[in-house]
Amino acid sequence: MKTKLTREEALALLQKYNQEPFHIQHGLTVEGVMRWYAKELGYGDEEDFWGIAGLLHDIDFELYPEQHCVKAPELLRNGGAEEEVIHAVCSHGYGLCSDVEPVHEMEKVLFAADELTGLIGAAARMRPSKSVMDMEVSSLKKKFKDKRFAAGCSRDVIRTGAERLGWELDRLFEQTILAMRSCEASVEQEMKALGLQE
């Protein structure tokens, strides 16, 4: 899976339709997580594709929340993205706002990890360190079981994502924490460089 889009072009495309710091940060985080997974799962030569799909997965969410994954193909095509990127982006909303099924392992990872990064991020902000660096799977499991915590993060999507990958939930939790640790500092640096964070 390859894309001709450069990382710079993809970031510019994301910023064209997203101004909210939260949405930019989420895109950068999912990009970093996807890059880590690409290397970890033996797809190192596809790292750029995995990363760019992660960066752009919510391209339409800020401006068109009611048309999430419906508006994305048009915005991505206008930005020069290939059909493979569009399929990957739309598949992360499968069963929620899209009928594009995640087929490739990369798409299954995006489906599972996207929602989970939101839960892990919310849990990290509650910690004294405000970081994932000292987060353990056991504390994440407690937050996962507490339905009131980060109620917007669908536990069903996370469970379904793990099942699609054929993984235990613990594995998905552990791997995604490690993936977020790998990019936490670089995401912060980039947010500062973009003038979106103190």
Side-chain angles (χ1 to χ4, degrees):
M1 299 176 95
K2 301 273 185 225
T3 174
K4 295 194 295 291
L5 280 181
T6 66
R7 206 269 172 175
E8 291 70 27
E9 288 168 339
L11 181 60
L13 194 54
L14 179 69
Q15 289 184 284
K16 182 175 178 180
Y17 301 106
N18 291 268
Q19 257 72 79
E20 285 285 327
F22 175 82
H23 290 141
I24 304 284
Q25 184 167 12
H26 177 62
L28 294 172
T29 299
V30 176
E31 175 196 17
V33 164
M34 291 300 290
R35 286 181 180 278
W36 183 89
Y37 267 116
K39 290 181 281 213
E40 188 67 17
L41 297 174
Y43 295 92
D45 57 336
E46 296 180 10
E47 184 191 331
D48 285 340
F49 183 95
W50 286 50
I52 282 169
L55 184 64
L56 294 174
H57 78 283
D58 275 349
I59 187 167
D60 59 1
F61 190 72
E62 187 176 311
L63 290 181
Y64 308 100
E66 301 303 313
Q67 292 178 279
H68 185 35
C69 293
V70 175
K71 197 77 178 162
E74 177 193 333
L75 306 185
L76 290 166
R77 274 189 202 108
N78 290 346
E82 296 85 351
E83 293 305 309
E84 289 81 0
V85 174
I86 293 167
H87 191 282
V89 163
C90 293
S91 74
H92 90 277
Y94 182 65
L96 302 163
C97 54
S98 164
D99 57 4
V100 178
E101 192 169 354
V103 181
H104 188 280
E105 190 166 18
M106 176 254 131
E107 295 171 338
K108 293 176 184 177
V109 170
L110 179 60
F111 180 93
D114 168 39
E115 199 76 7
L116 185 53
T117 61
L119 186 69
I120 294 171
R125 285 191 289 279
M126 302 293 289
R127 300 177 73 75
S129 65
K130 303 273 189 268
S131 168
V132 292
M133 289 308 189
D134 57 358
M135 185 183 290
E136 298 301 330
V137 171
S138 55
S139 65
L140 180 60
K141 281 167 87 167
K142 286 193 194 103
K143 299 292 190 197
F144 183 81
K145 285 180 182 140
D146 179 359
K147 299 285 188 289
R148 290 163 311 184
F149 179 78
C153 294
S154 168
R155 274 59 169 177
D156 288 342
V157 166
I158 295 167
R159 276 194 206 93
T160 303
E163 284 164 18
R164 281 183 169 278
L165 285 162
W167 296 359
E168 296 292 326
L169 262 180
D170 279 21
R171 178 181 176 189
L172 181 63
F173 287 172
E174 183 186 7
Q175 301 265 287
T176 307
I177 289 171
L178 291 173
M180 286 181 71
R181 283 181 188 169
S182 78
C183 65
E184 184 176 84
S186 60
V187 168
E188 274 179 31
Q189 284 169 347
E190 189 154 16
M191 288 295 287
K192 283 177 185 159
L194 292 169
L196 298 171
Q197 201 167 290
E198 295 304 304

